[in-house]
Amino acid sequence: MSNEHPPLHAQAAAERHRHDARMPTVDFNLAPFTVVWEMTRACVLRCVHCRAVAQRSRHPKELTTDEGKGLLRTIKEFGNPILVLTGGDPLMRPDLTELISYAVQDLGLRASLTPSSTPLVTKARLEEIKAAGIKRLAMSLDGATAEVHDAFRGFSGSFERTMGILASLREIDLPFQINTTVTNTNVDTLPEIMEHVRASGAVQWSVFFLVPTGRANVEQMVSPERHEELMHWLAELSESAVFDIKSTAAPFYRRVAIERRRAAAGGGPVTFAGAGFRYEDGLDRPVQGVNDAKGFVFISHIGEVYPNGFLPVSAGNIRDESLVDIYRDSQLFRDLRNPDKLTGKCGRCGYREVCGGSRARAYGVTGDMFADDPACSYQPPSA
């Protein structure tokens, strides 16, 4: 293969190293590592775990094209964060390509897109999106078989359509990742889903761990013990997989990865950077990890600003004040960035800065965003 077209997994590795190199210098009190804009909540699918409780029609108060461009300019004020354009289904917006082009070509932002698997995703549309500047697409695969995946998505034929979209992405040479949400209905089939990821040529497998919000509920979650087993499985898999592995809503994956690295080093000091976090042993170690409001911000379809799309507590609206000011100065975001606010075992944990637990899950299960992450089985040692 020529140097002009390196393997997709090599592209992903190079991009990851660029991201990791930024980690020690990014001050999460001033700027996020990742910005997610929910461009619309319109979507024709009926996913059983949908955070957004998506509707078939666009909201009349959705951000306009001009407001969207204003938001993108404000995001650029943070520097060069990763921008994720999501929904609902962003392809339901007729101005999608215009907004992508403005974000990438005019402002120089790095943008990825997460469309729904619907007939809107044609090869011609994908080529148009690529030409506008999208560098990566994310597609969801929540079952190793059509039966399981289609039940997740609420539509027969969704699995087959997803496979067709992945084939089109390979044909046009647009890198893609696969997102999988783990619930008690598909957890036993994760190795089979992983084989689909491997065979597809995906550059990353982003494994989401259910947060009970929107249509999702506590009964769909796997046990804390099963979460821990999966963290070790993913960490082991990451040592040999040709694709990157990222956990979402499971920051305790970082603890597992660090402890495994430390064990391999015979208990000695380690320096470890992964997707959205960095850890170094020593008195002056840079310790930081992306978490809700800490290196992460979510803007809804109507301009509400949240610490995370899974944590539906608004800190303000971009129609009333600057996103930069909300992220830096709102009491909600400042509190969530303060590890001293954490209670219970999360407050006592030595990994509270690099992990900190999912604040969204704590809120979804207990109503207290500073409580323990109910999915984490780890018991920190006594002081």
Side-chain angles (χ1 to χ4, degrees):
M1 186 171 290
S2 73
N3 290 333
E4 291 182 350
H5 299 285
L8 293 181
H9 65 269
Q11 295 178 35
E15 184 67 12
R16 183 187 69 243
H17 293 320
R18 284 194 292 271
H19 293 170
D20 293 347
R22 296 176 63 238
M23 289 301 298
T25 59
V26 175
D27 184 348
F28 290 158
N29 290 307
L30 299 177
F33 187 69
T34 302
V35 179
V36 178
W37 176 20
E38 175 194 65
M39 304 181 78
T40 182
R41 281 198 176 173
C43 181
V44 298
L45 299 182
R46 298 188 296 269
C47 303
V48 297
H49 60 300
C50 181
R51 163 204 59 78
V53 192
Q55 307 298 314
R56 295 184 67 87
S57 301
R58 295 173 61 197
H59 195 286
K61 294 185 179 179
E62 197 173 271
L63 295 179
T64 66
T65 303
D66 286 344
E67 286 176 321
K69 289 181 177 180
L71 170 61
L72 293 169
R73 288 193 296 272
T74 305
I75 292 170
K76 184 62 179 177
E77 292 178 25
F78 285 125
N80 195 24
I82 299 168
L83 172 63
V84 180
L85 302 173
T86 188
D89 182 5
L91 268 70
M92 297 285 280
R93 285 192 65 128
D95 58 356
L96 175 62
T97 305
E98 179 183 353
L99 288 167
I100 292 171
S101 178
Y102 186 74
V104 178
Q105 299 182 31
D106 293 356
L107 298 177
L109 289 166
R110 301 170 296 162
S112 63
L113 183 71
T114 61
S116 298
S117 180
T118 75
L120 292 175
V121 190
T122 63
K123 185 177 179 181
R125 193 73 192 278
L126 291 173
E127 290 175 328
E128 179 183 311
I129 288 167
K130 180 182 178 181
I134 285 294
K135 300 303 183 185
R136 181 186 294 190
L137 219 75
M139 297 300 302
S140 292
L141 183 64
D142 296 305
T145 64
E147 180 182 10
V148 176
H149 178 82
D150 290 359
F152 249 81
R153 296 288 149 185
F155 268 95
S156 177
S158 179
F159 179 86
E160 182 178 356
R161 181 174 292 116
T162 297
M163 292 300 158
I165 293 169
L166 297 182
S168 294
L169 290 167
R170 289 192 295 270
E171 290 175 12
I172 69 171
D173 196 26
L174 177 56
F176 61 89
Q177 69 181 56
I178 289 178
N179 298 344
T180 299
T181 297
V182 179
T183 74
N184 54 20
T185 61
N186 69 354
V187 62
D188 292 330
T189 66
L190 286 178
E192 289 78 15
I193 295 175
M194 181 273 293
E195 290 299 337
H196 280 297
V197 176
R198 188 199 306 274
S200 73
V203 298
Q204 185 179 84
W205 189 22
S206 189
V207 187
F208 288 66
F209 290 86
L210 189 91
V211 173
T213 188
R215 293 192 187 121
N217 57 62
V218 174
E219 287 70 30
Q220 294 170 298
M221 289 172 51
V222 301
S223 69
E225 293 73 23
R226 196 64 190 277
H227 274 92
E228 187 75 3
E229 292 173 5
L230 291 171
M231 297 304 108
H232 282 276
W233 179 68
L234 289 172
E236 183 175 357
L237 179 62
S238 71
E239 296 168 4
S240 60
V242 296
F243 48 85
D244 287 339
I245 295 173
K246 178 181 180 295
S247 68
T248 298
F252 41 87
Y253 175 76
R254 302 164 193 167
R255 166 184 53 80
V256 170
I258 291 165
E259 289 182 334
R260 291 173 65 93
R261 181 66 63 90
R262 184 177 286 126
V270 296
T271 296
F272 190 34
F277 75 98
R278 184 175 180 86
Y279 183 90
E280 292 185 8
D281 279 318
L283 293 177
D284 298 318
R285 67 190 183 199
V287 179
Q288 59 179 342
V290 172
N291 207 334
D292 308 328
K294 181 184 177 186
F296 193 99
V297 63
F298 180 97
I299 304 95
S300 84
H301 60 302
I302 57 173
E304 295 293 328
V305 180
Y306 298 112
N308 189 309
F310 300 109
L311 179 48
V313 179
S314 176
N317 192 294
I318 64 163
R319 284 172 165 147
D320 302 320
E321 52 188 319
S322 165
L323 172 65
V324 173
D325 292 341
I326 294 172
Y327 178 85
R328 292 177 179 173
D329 301 327
S330 70
Q331 194 62 51
L332 174 63
F333 273 61
R334 290 169 67 91
D335 285 347
L336 284 168
R337 288 195 292 266
N338 182 0
D340 293 336
K341 291 286 185 178
L342 298 176
T343 62
K345 67 179 185 180
C346 281
R348 302 191 307 271
C349 186
Y351 295 98
R352 66 181 193 167
E353 292 188 44
V354 72
C355 169
S358 170
R359 299 300 95 216
R361 184 178 294 107
Y363 181 79
V365 174
T366 72
D368 179 359
M369 67 184 73
F370 300 103
D372 292 343
D373 182 343
C376 180
S377 64
Y378 179 68
Q379 294 295 332
S382 301

